[in-house]
């Protein structure tokens, strides 16, 4: 056994020595040569692939260069009849400003077009692409998206003319909801409690403006005499120019504050960094003091150098948090905005009704003789019922119970709409307010006549 074991050890040892001897016979540079060969193969494959796609890359680069080289204020388009045209509206508008306005005229337009107006029209603009001053851009946005009256109050201290982009597509009205959000970031009275300003915008896919949008200065100027019933106030604005294809409209601001214009132009009212220096900031005219007092300094989220430890900063962080929450759930934010708007309408309707009642002779109203007409209020009630928004409907009717009895021009009212949409919850709400389902519309139909089969709750 001992001999066998010894023999086994010797054999194993010999195998190890033989293996080492065989390893020693491999050339020292073999592995290095193999690595170089692999690298050369990879490099060859890379260059072969590059040369294969090089023509495509070259062609795409040239196409991109051509596209970027074209002047953005002039482009080709196709009409509904298939004709190819050159849309030169923007240059045409800027050239009109240059030829038809005084050299010291100031132009109020959204900042996107500031450099174009300054470069081509050679006129001073209220804002341009240098948008580092967020508060100033917000003031401009406030003027455009606030009511026509309030917008004029601001613009008469800043500008002589207002230029708006129209014609659909990416025009100023399409951008306006974003403008309203910018305005609200500094002037919180624009959309109280809603950083995303959902009350300003389109209400449906048909382009129906919300009441806030419809009342704005921008909407009035953009849609002046283009949409039924929309006319800019002739005591505040004068329509002076429309481009060939309606892409640009220009209005002259009436009753411009000459006192404010002189204040801004006076070098003595500029704040220089050093006496006699070239860097001198302008100041807003005193006429805007009341508006500016409502401003709230906006902290950009990316301002990492700022220490955030005050109550003001906490409020700002809460505002930003609510903004992003609303952006994450836009449908919920929109519903809340619609609810607030509905409640506001109800309050306005109640005030109007109260005023009319005060002016009317104090005689009892005859049943069935109330005025039937289509109004914003009847439209709002119809929408609440059709969309099954019972919470808002209950709130609105709670504020103004008489609203449950309104009738549209066809003689129908909330109870008809509740039966039409088979909305049992709406019927119950209306019954609590004393609305009958036996009344007849102008065609002699009762609410029950509008349905067949049992009424049921409609889910949306």
């Amino acid at each position: 056994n001992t001999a066998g074991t010894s023999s086994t050890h010797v054999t194993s040892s010999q195998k190890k020595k033989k293996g080492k001897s065989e390893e020693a016979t491999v050339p020292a540079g073999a592995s290095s040569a193999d690595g170089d060969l692999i690298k050369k193969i990879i490099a060859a494959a890379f260059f072969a692939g590059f040369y294969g796609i090089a023509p495509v890359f070259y062609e795409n680069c040239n196409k991109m260069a051509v596209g970027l080289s074209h002047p953005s204020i002039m482009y080709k388009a196709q009409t509904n009849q298939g004709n190819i045209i050159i849309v030169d509206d923007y240059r045409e508008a800027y050239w009109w400003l240059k030829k038809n306005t005084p050299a010291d005229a100031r132009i109020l337009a959204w900042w996107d077009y500031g450099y174009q107006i300054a470069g081509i029209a050679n006129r001073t603009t209220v804002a341009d692409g240098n948008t580092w001053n967020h508060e100033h851009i917000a003031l401009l946005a406030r003027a455009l998206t606030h009511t026509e009256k309030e917008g004029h109050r601001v613009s008469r201290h800043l500008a002589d003319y207002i230029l708006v982009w129209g014609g659909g597509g990416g025009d100023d009205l399409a951008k306006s909801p974003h403008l309203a959000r910018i305005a609200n970031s500094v002037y919180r009275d624009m959309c109280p409690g809603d950083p995303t300003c959902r009350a300003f915008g389109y209400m449906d896919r048909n382009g129906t403006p919300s009441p806030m949008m419809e009342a704005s200065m921008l909407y009035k100027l953009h849609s002046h005499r283009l949409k039924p019933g929309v006319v800019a106030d002739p005591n505040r604005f004068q329509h002076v120019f429309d481009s060939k294809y309606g892409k640009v409209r220009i209005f002259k601001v009436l009753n411009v504050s000459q006192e404010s214009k002189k204040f801004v132009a006076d070098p003595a009212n500029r704040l220089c960094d050093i006496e006699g220096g070239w860097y001198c900031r302008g100041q807003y005219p005193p006429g805007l003091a009341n508006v500016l007092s409502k401003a709230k300094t906006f902290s950009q989220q990316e301002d990492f150098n700022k220490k955030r430890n005050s109550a003001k900063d906490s409020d700002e962080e809460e505002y930003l948090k609510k903004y992003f929450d609303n952006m994450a759930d836009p449908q919920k934010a929109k519903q809340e905005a619609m609810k607030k708007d509905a409640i506001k309408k109800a309050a306005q309707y109640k005030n109007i009704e109260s005023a009319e009642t005060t002016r009317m002779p104090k005689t009892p109203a005859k049943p069935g003789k109330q005025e039937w007409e289509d109004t914003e209020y009847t439209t709002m009630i119809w929408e609440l019922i059709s969309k099954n928004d019972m919470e808002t409907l209950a709130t609105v009717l709670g504020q103004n119970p008489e609203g449950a009895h309104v009738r549209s021009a066809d003689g129908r009212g909330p109870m008809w709409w509740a039966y039409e949409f088979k909305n049992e919850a709406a019927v119950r709400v209306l019954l609590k307010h004393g609305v009958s389902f036996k009344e007849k519309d102008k065609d002699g139909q009762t609410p029950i006549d509008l349905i067949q089969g049992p009424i049921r709750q409609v889910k949306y």
Side-chain angles (χ1 to χ4, degrees), residues 2 19 26 30-31 39 109 136 162 188 231 272 289 302 340 346 351 361 401:
T2 304
V26 178
S31 60
K39 290 178 182 177
H136 180 66
I162 298 178
R188 303 290 168 81
V231 180
C272 300
E302 62 270 20
K340 289 179 181 179
N351 292 336

Side-chain angles (χ1 to χ4, degrees), residues 74-80 82-87 245 247:
M74 191 184 304
Y75 59 91
K76 284 184 179 181
Q78 189 172 16
T79 64
N80 294 332
N83 300 322
I84 302 298
I85 60 173
I86 298 294
V87 179
Y245 295 108
K247 293 294 184 181

Side-chain angles (χ1 to χ4, degrees), residues 225-400:
R225 298 194 183 282
L226 296 178
K227 295 185 177 181
V230 181
V231 180
D233 188 342
N235 296 316
R236 293 185 169 93
F237 305 103
Q238 179 186 351
H239 184 209
V240 295
F241 175 82
D242 269 342
S243 61
K244 184 176 181 179
Y245 295 108
K247 293 294 184 181
V248 184
R249 315 191 82 186
I250 300 175
F251 291 80
K252 183 177 182 179
V253 181
L254 303 180
N255 194 27
V256 170
S257 173
Q258 296 302 320
E259 183 179 355
S260 293
K261 189 170 184 177
K262 289 178 182 178
F263 178 91
V264 173
D266 188 351
N269 294 320
R270 297 172 189 167
L271 302 175
C272 300
D273 54 345
I274 59 173
E275 187 176 354
W278 60 270
Y279 178 69
C280 301
R281 294 181 292 109
Q283 296 188 79
Y284 290 113
L288 287 176
N290 184 49
V291 174
L292 296 173
S293 66
K294 301 175 182 178
K296 182 180 180 67
T297 303
F298 181 78
S299 299
Q300 298 283 3
Q301 191 181 23
E302 62 270 20
D303 189 359
F304 300 109
N305 296 320
K306 182 179 178 182
K307 294 181 179 179
R308 301 179 183 275
N309 51 18
S310 65
K312 180 180 178 181
D313 291 330
S314 298
D315 179 64
E316 195 64 35
E317 288 179 2
E318 180 62 27
Y319 179 86
L320 289 172
K321 181 181 181 300
K322 190 167 185 179
Y323 174 87
F324 288 113
D325 287 345
N326 285 1
M327 291 298 286
D329 192 351
Q331 192 60 33
K332 180 181 177 181
K334 185 177 181 179
Q335 288 175 352
E336 289 180 354
M338 288 178 65
K339 181 177 179 180
K340 289 179 181 179
D341 188 53
I343 294 172
K344 183 179 179 181
K345 274 186 181 178
Q348 291 173 344
Y349 180 81
K350 186 176 181 180
N351 292 336
I352 293 171
E353 189 179 57
S354 176
E356 289 178 347
T357 303
T358 303
R359 292 195 297 267
M360 290 171 61
K362 295 187 177 182
T363 55
K366 295 180 180 180
K369 294 295 183 180
Q370 65 268 43
E371 187 174 1
W372 294 352
E373 60 178 340
D374 294 326
T375 64
E376 286 188 7
Y377 191 83
T378 57
T379 300
M380 178 191 68
I381 297 294
W382 180 89
E383 288 179 348
L384 293 176
I385 294 173
S386 66
K387 295 177 180 178
N388 194 33
D389 189 351
M390 293 301 98
E391 182 182 356
T392 304
L393 180 66
T395 303
V396 168
L397 297 183
Q399 281 197 344
N400 179 30

Side-chain angles (χ1 to χ4, degrees), residues 81 93 118 148 184 234 265 287 297 317 367 380 404 442:
Q81 292 74 34
E148 184 180 22
N184 191 65
T297 303
E317 288 179 2
M380 178 191 68
K442 71 174 186 179

